Amino acid sequence: MAFSSAIVLLVVFFIVASKPTVDGITVSPVSLSLVGSSVNSSTHFWFPQSVASYENGRVIVTSIQLEDDSKSCRYPKCSGCHKLLPCKKDMHHKTYLSFDYGNNWSQAVLPQNFGVAFGGVMLNSMEYMKIGAAERTLSNGSIQFRAPGTKLFLSNGSQFSLANASHDIVFDGFPSSFSSNITQLTRWCGVFQKRDRNMIEIVQTEMPANSSLGRSLVLSSSNDNFTFTYNGFIASHNSQQFKNYSNGPCESAVIEVFVKGMSDSVLLAVFRVDSFEDYYMSISKDDGSTWDTPTQLPNNMGSVRPKMEIFYVEEQPVIILSGGRPGLMLWISVPTADKGVISWHWMSFNTALAHNSLIKQQEMDINLMYSSAWANRTIFQNFSLHESTAYTRLIPQPTLGSNNSMRFVLLYDRLAQGWEGPPGVTLSDDHVFSMHFDVTLH
C-alpha cells in the first residue's frame, strides 16, 4: 500500500476529563500519510516546519530540514551526547506541498533563494517560522530591532505560486536597558492571531556569550504583521527559578483563551526550559504587559518545542498541546474558572502509540513503527536511541469537524538512528509523517 494513502480508522481513544462539568474528550486518529524521507544514508530528514493557507486552494506547506551528518563533526558518537560543534556541515531545506489538507504530498519546485525565507522570516497570517539576526538601533530613546525578511505568498484561486518580496520586520519599544544585553531575536517563536486580528508573539532573545543574563522570553504584538511592539517580559534564564536549566526559557507557544466565567480573555504561554524537563506555563490577564510567575506543568508534560491550538464548543475552550521528548504526545485542556481562578484539567494522549496503530491499520512497513521503549517514554538522555526529534507542527482544519469537534493535522518525524543519522539497523532513512485526528468534546 502506498505511503500516501489515507484510510479512515474506526479506532477511538477515550480520555475522560477530571471535572464532572465536562463529560469527556475523544481523540480519534483518522489517517496517516508520508510526507517524504531522506534521500541517502548520510542525510538527516527531520524538524518539520509548516504554514497553512485554507483560503488559497487548501494548501499546507511544510519545510523539512536536511543535514549532512558526518558523525565525527556535527553529532559525534558518545553516550547521551548531541553537541553542536563549530564544524557544522551542509544544512538546507526541502519543501513539500499538499492541496488536500495533508493527505497527499509532493515536493515543491521553489525560487532559487527560497531557502532564505526559512532562514529569515517566514510570514503567513498565523505563524513566523524564524527570526534571524536583527540590527539594534535607537528609536525615540528605546531600542528597535529590524530583521530583514522574506514573505511567503500563496496565490489566490486554484493555481499555487510562490514569490519572494523583501519586507523588514520591525520590533520596537524595547527598554533601553536591553541595548547591551540582546544580540538577536531568534527562532521557535510562539505566535497567535487574536480575535481582534492582532498578533501576539513570544520571542526568545540571544544574549552575548559573556553575559550572565542568559535568554529570556519577550512578548510583542502587531497591528500590521510587520511591526511588533514590546509589551512585557515573562521569564529569564538567570532567574533563580531557571538558572539551573541548560536552555532556560526558550521554544514557546502562546494562545488567547476565553474561559467561561472570566470577564476578559487571558494569554496562555507554554515554553521549554530543557530536554526531559516538563514544560512551564504562565498566563497574562492584561494582554501581555504582566505575567504570572511561571509554573511547571503536571508531571511528564513534554520538554521541547510546544505547539498549541484552540477551538470552542459553544463557550467551552478546548486546548490542544503537542510535543514530547521522550516520546510523542498530545495534551488536551478543558479549562474552567471559579471566582476568577482557572483550572486547566490537562489530559494526555500518546501520539506515538496512535502512529503505530495507524501503521498496522494501513498495512505500511512495520519498521516505520516506534519501538515500545520510545512510544512508552522510557528513553531519556541517550540521543542515539531517540526515534523522533519531538518537534511537531499542529495545524487545525476549520472546514472539517462538527459543532463539538475539530480535525487537526500533526506533522512529526521518525528517525532511523536518532541524532546519529541514518541508516539504522532496521530503517535506512528518516521519515516525516502527517497524521489526521479528530478531537471531540462530549
Side-chain angles (χ1 to χ4, degrees), residues 16-328:
V16 178
S18 58
K19 194 76 173 177
T21 55
V22 180
D23 292 332
I25 290 284
T26 304
V27 181
S28 308
V30 175
S31 64
L32 189 67
S33 299
L34 180 72
V35 177
S37 59
S38 52
V39 294
N40 61 64
S41 61
S42 65
T43 302
H44 268 303
F45 191 83
W46 55 2
F47 294 110
Q49 307 171 18
S50 299
V51 293
S53 175
Y54 301 111
E55 299 81 17
N56 302 291
R58 298 179 298 180
V59 173
I60 295 175
V61 182
T62 185
S63 172
I64 299 167
Q65 184 172 306
L66 283 82
E67 295 185 47
D68 181 12
D69 183 7
S70 67
K71 294 181 182 155
S72 62
C73 173
R74 182 163 173 75
Y75 298 112
K77 285 186 177 180
C78 57
S79 177
C81 173
H82 72 117
K83 301 210 178 281
L84 189 64
L85 300 183
C87 53
K88 173 177 155 183
K89 303 270 299 184
D90 180 51
M91 181 174 70
H92 57 284
H93 291 84
K94 279 192 174 181
T95 302
Y96 292 78
L97 308 178
S98 174
F99 293 89
D100 57 3
Y101 294 111
N103 286 302
N104 295 280
W105 295 87
S106 60
Q107 188 174 341
V109 178
L110 300 173
Q112 185 175 1
N113 62 339
F114 184 76
V116 178
F118 283 97
V121 178
M122 269 291 298
L123 178 60
N124 155 276
S125 62
M126 290 303 292
E127 180 170 4
Y128 291 90
M129 299 308 299
K130 181 178 176 181
I131 301 170
E135 296 181 3
R136 292 179 287 117
T137 58
L138 287 174
S139 174
N140 299 324
S142 64
I143 302 301
Q144 180 183 97
F145 299 86
R146 185 172 294 271
T150 305
K151 187 175 181 180
L152 169 69
F153 287 95
L154 302 177
S155 67
N156 291 320
S158 59
Q159 297 298 313
F160 181 82
S161 64
L162 295 169
N164 288 310
S166 179
H167 202 305
D168 288 352
I169 309 299
V170 176
F171 300 86
D172 207 356
F174 287 85
S176 58
S177 59
F178 281 48
S179 176
S180 61
N181 297 326
I182 296 180
T183 57
Q184 66 175 312
L185 309 177
T186 192
R187 61 182 181 175
W188 309 135
C189 312
V191 177
F192 188 78
Q193 190 170 42
K194 298 165 53 188
R195 284 189 181 180
D196 62 10
R197 308 303 293 174
N198 289 342
M199 304 284 282
I200 291 294
E201 178 174 23
I202 296 176
V203 180
Q204 175 189 350
T205 59
E206 290 287 349
M207 304 297 190
N210 59 355
S211 171
S212 62
L213 292 179
R215 299 188 178 104
S216 62
L217 290 178
V218 178
L219 180 80
S220 302
S221 67
S222 171
N223 291 319
D224 60 8
N225 294 347
F226 294 115
T227 302
F228 284 75
T229 303
Y230 173 82
N231 275 15
F233 171 81
I234 302 175
S236 173
H237 192 183
N238 74 326
S239 68
Q240 187 67 30
Q241 187 176 20
F242 299 115
K243 69 178 183 179
N244 293 325
Y245 293 117
S246 62
N247 297 142
C250 53
E251 300 165 354
S252 58
V254 62
I255 56 173
E256 180 185 31
V257 187
F258 291 84
V259 182
K260 191 175 182 179
M262 301 283 288
S263 57
D264 296 303
S265 66
V266 299
L267 298 178
L268 168 64
V270 174
F271 55 90
R272 165 184 178 164
V273 295
D274 216 339
S275 285
F276 317 113
E277 298 290 345
D278 295 336
Y279 294 134
Y280 274 76
M281 63 171 282
S282 179
I283 64 170
S284 172
K285 297 180 180 179
D286 56 9
D287 210 28
S289 296
T290 61
W291 291 81
D292 291 350
T293 300
T295 57
Q296 200 167 26
L297 285 172
N299 190 37
N300 286 328
M301 281 197 64
S303 71
V304 298
R305 199 189 179 193
K307 305 300 292 185
M308 271 197 301
E309 293 291 345
I310 187 170
F311 71 98
Y312 293 83
V313 176
E314 296 179 349
E315 296 182 3
Q316 174 62 54
V318 180
I319 300 168
I320 315 298
L321 171 64
S322 70
R325 191 181 297 173
L328 280 170

Side-chain angles (χ1 to χ4, degrees), residues 13-17 23-27 330 332 347-350 442:
F13 293 79
F14 286 93
I15 308 175
V16 178
D23 292 332
I25 290 284
T26 304
V27 181
L330 294 173
I332 295 92
M347 299 159 281
S348 63
F349 173 78
N350 193 312
H442 301 284

Side-chain angles (χ1 to χ4, degrees), residues 415-432:
L415 306 182
Q417 195 184 197
W419 254 242
E420 295 194 10
V425 176
T426 59
L427 202 59
S428 59
D429 294 307
D430 293 348
H431 298 77
V432 169

